[in-house]
Structures are given as C-alpha cells and as structure tokens.
Amino acid sequence: MENTKINKSMEKIFKEEYNNGQGVRELSALALAYIGDAVFEMLVRTRVLSWGNAPVNVLHKKARAIVNAKAQSKMYFRIEEYLNDDEKAVFRRGRNAKSHTIPKNADVIDYKHATGLEAVFGHLYLSGKMDRAIELFDKGMERK
C-alpha cells in the first residue's frame, strides 16, 4: 500500500536525520503537539478539498472552522472513547504541558485539550501510525 510506504519513509527520516537516535517517547509533549498541529492541518485541508473545488479563501474559511482550539477540543471528546492507553497518556502529557503562550481567542481549557489532541496526532505520525491517525480523525469528524 502506498500510504504505508509514505509512513515508513517519514518514520525513517525522523529516526535517521532529525532526532539523533532519540525515540518518539523522549520528545516533549509540546514538540509532539508542534508536529501534530501540522499533521492535523494537513488532514483537515485534505478533507476540505475532498468536499469539492472552491476558491482558496473559501477553502481556508472551512479549514479554520475545524482547526481552532474549540473545534479541536470538541473533536477530542468525540474520539476519547476510541483512544488506547498509550494515546490517552500522550494526550494527558500534551494537555498538562506548560505552554509559555497564552491563547488569544480561545478558552484556556479548550486550548489545553487542543494541545493534547495535537500531541496525539504528532505521536502517531512520528511513530509511523498515520493509518491510526486517519482513523481517529475520521471518527472525530463524525457528528454524533
């Protein structure tokens, strides 16, 4: 499967070039959230494009409705029951991390939940588990 090849290639790049032999578990929760933010954004933009072609400003507006602390916090609560113990631990690390930034347009609790969610996506990505990240993203996009 092509997706598996991409996952393995990215995992190889991370292990060989960027982390000096450290494992994903040794990364700080905020480092996981940093890369997880990009992974989440990529998944959202891909989903928005799947809804059909549109002017870029319209696509951006649709993506912004999903990529914000409040929406990400809500997504966490939609997928919480599907997280395994390892993913729950990563989420807690991200949620409880001491960030030196103060959210401008977000509730602090929503911001912490969003950081935890991004940490989970970052952990899955760097662990070569994009299929799992996509599975959780799909569940999170479902409306209950």
Side-chain angles (χ1 to χ4, degrees):
M1 172 184 260
E2 188 64 30
N3 193 18
T4 304
K5 287 180 185 176
I6 293 169
N7 292 345
K8 293 297 179 193
S9 296
M10 294 309 295
E11 185 178 14
K12 181 179 177 188
I13 288 169
F14 175 73
K15 284 182 178 176
E16 291 179 4
E17 297 179 24
Y18 293 105
N19 202 22
N20 298 323
Q22 284 185 322
V24 173
R25 291 187 177 278
E26 282 79 38
L27 290 172
S28 73
L30 293 178
L32 292 174
Y34 168 77
I35 194 73
D37 176 61
V39 172
F40 191 81
E41 179 84 27
M42 180 193 63
L43 291 170
V44 168
R45 287 180 181 211
T46 303
R47 178 61 54 92
V48 168
L49 278 176
S50 77
W51 296 336
N53 197 15
V56 173
N57 63 327
V58 173
L59 297 173
H60 181 72
K61 186 175 180 180
K62 289 178 181 182
R64 287 288 113 210
I66 302 167
V67 183
N68 65 70
K70 187 170 198 66
Q72 287 174 299
S73 179
K74 287 179 180 180
M75 180 180 277
Y76 163 70
F77 287 107
R78 285 195 295 272
I79 68 169
E80 179 181 21
E81 66 185 283
Y82 302 106
L83 297 178
N84 63 37
D85 290 342
D86 191 41
E87 294 160 351
K88 287 177 184 176
V90 171
F91 170 81
R92 284 191 301 272
R93 283 180 56 213
R95 181 195 61 200
N96 296 335
K98 300 285 188 251
S99 175
H100 298 289
T101 59
I102 299 167
K104 294 178 211 138
N105 300 314
D107 176 79
V108 173
I109 301 298
D110 286 341
Y111 185 79
K112 287 182 170 291
H113 282 101
T115 302
L117 181 74
E118 290 171 347
V120 170
F121 279 96
H123 180 265
L124 292 171
Y125 171 73
L126 292 174
S127 298
K129 299 177 182 173
M130 271 307 288
D131 290 339
R132 175 66 174 155
I134 292 167
E135 175 187 348
L136 290 173
F137 180 78
D138 288 343
K139 288 190 181 303
M141 290 296 291
E142 294 173 3
R143 301 286 178 209
K144 290 188 176 183

